[in-house]
Amino acid sequence: MRFREVFRYELEGLLRSPSTWAYGVLLFLFAGWILLGTFDSSILFNAPIRLTWMAQAAGMFGLLVTAGLFSAVAVRDTQAGMDPLLYTTPLTRSEYLGGRFFAALAVNAALLLAIPLGQVAATLLWRRFEPELVGPLGIAAFLQAFPLFLIPSLLFGSAVLFTIAMLARSVIPVYLGAILLFVSGIVAGNYAGRIEHPMLSALADPFAIATLEGIGRSWTPVEQNTGWVGFPAPLVWSRLAMTALGAAALALLFNRFRFAH
């Protein structure tokens, strides 16, 4: 029961915050902008693999949104000076941490829907100028990145950033952590692309940058225009590995967190 109350309180607080909706607008605009700004006419504007690649790029940018949401729920009591009073309540660690984490996770997952919506808007805009370069509008093509790229990346990134926020009880380390995840993800993706074994390459690629690029590189233009990324085994295992690392970060937080200054 107390878990539900913490969850509802944090959820309502995030939904009332203007910054939450600003994050959604930011993701919407960035997803549309990056889709428009990177088009080179080599494949269709809304080729499924291109939509997936751009969605993952927008998802990595969304690490800053994740940092903002999870730092807000993590340090609110400390900033308001209410933490000494809160620590005297009968809340357990699982209720306190779980309610806050899952409330922010639900809001963040909903905000990620702004990415395919931004891509749809950009595609409709481009179709007005060059309709011959736009393929059929299938909603599944815009959503295929959601279960295999955006959500696993969110589970990993949110767990790490929430752990930092709750242990540091400060906003600045969370944003530094988000920047570090972003940079390390790009660097790891560059090095992972040099590994010849497909499974090891995928496991060394935290945000599946090189893995997705490798899939598209082996396809013909026709396959790129019509083919689906699907669920290849190396990619699935890579996503499961990142989710497991996120779970390990939450386990560390649960072990280290104390209701004390």
Side-chain angles (χ1 to χ4, degrees):
M1 180 64 69
R2 289 191 296 259
F3 170 85
R4 187 187 309 170
E5 293 172 354
V6 174
F7 177 86
R8 183 176 59 190
Y9 174 79
E10 297 296 344
L11 185 66
E12 292 175 352
L14 288 173
L15 293 178
R16 286 196 303 266
S17 175
S19 62
T20 300
W21 302 104
Y23 292 147
V25 173
L26 187 63
L27 286 174
F28 176 88
L29 294 176
F30 184 81
W33 171 78
I34 195 173
L35 195 64
L36 291 167
T38 59
F39 185 53
D40 62 1
S41 303
S42 60
I43 58 176
L44 291 176
F45 184 86
N46 61 330
I49 193 168
R50 182 169 185 266
L51 292 175
T52 302
W53 170 254
M54 293 298 107
Q56 178 63 345
M60 290 189 64
F61 172 79
L63 282 171
L64 295 177
V65 173
T66 302
L69 289 173
F70 282 83
S71 63
V73 300
V75 305
R76 181 182 296 120
D77 296 326
T78 303
Q79 291 179 338
M82 294 294 293
D83 47 322
L85 180 62
L86 185 65
Y87 295 158
T88 64
T89 65
L91 281 174
T92 65
R93 276 185 296 176
S94 58
E95 292 167 343
Y96 179 77
L97 297 175
R100 294 190 162 200
F101 176 78
F102 285 107
L105 184 68
V107 173
N108 203 158
L111 288 179
L112 288 180
L113 291 173
I115 293 176
L117 290 176
Q119 291 184 330
V120 170
T123 302
L124 293 175
L125 178 63
W126 196 270
R127 190 170 64 171
R128 297 188 60 181
F129 299 99
E130 295 184 288
E132 69 279 0
L133 295 178
V134 177
L137 296 180
I139 191 63
F142 292 95
L143 293 177
Q144 70 169 337
F146 205 76
L148 196 56
F149 292 92
L150 296 181
I151 292 300
S153 296
L154 172 61
L155 292 174
F156 169 64
S158 63
V160 172
L161 296 178
F162 184 66
T163 299
I164 295 173
M166 291 304 303
L167 295 181
R169 302 183 188 184
S170 177
V171 173
I172 294 178
V174 184
Y175 282 99
L176 292 177
I179 295 172
L180 181 61
L181 283 178
F182 180 85
V183 174
S184 61
I186 294 177
V187 173
N190 289 333
Y191 281 101
R194 305 175 186 177
I195 302 175
E196 296 183 1
H197 194 285
M199 184 66 72
L200 294 179
S201 176
L203 292 176
D205 187 12
F207 294 104
I209 298 173
T211 306
L212 185 58
E213 184 180 359
I215 292 173
R217 192 185 303 117
S218 63
W219 287 3
T220 65
V222 174
E223 290 174 326
Q224 291 181 349
N225 284 328
T226 59
W228 292 75
V229 176
F231 295 88
L235 198 55
V236 172
W237 282 111
S238 169
R239 303 300 82 208
L240 291 176
M242 290 303 103
T243 303
L245 286 178
L250 291 178
L252 173 66
L253 171 62
F254 185 81
N255 183 63
R256 296 289 301 274
F257 181 79
R258 297 290 182 273
F259 284 107
H261 290 288

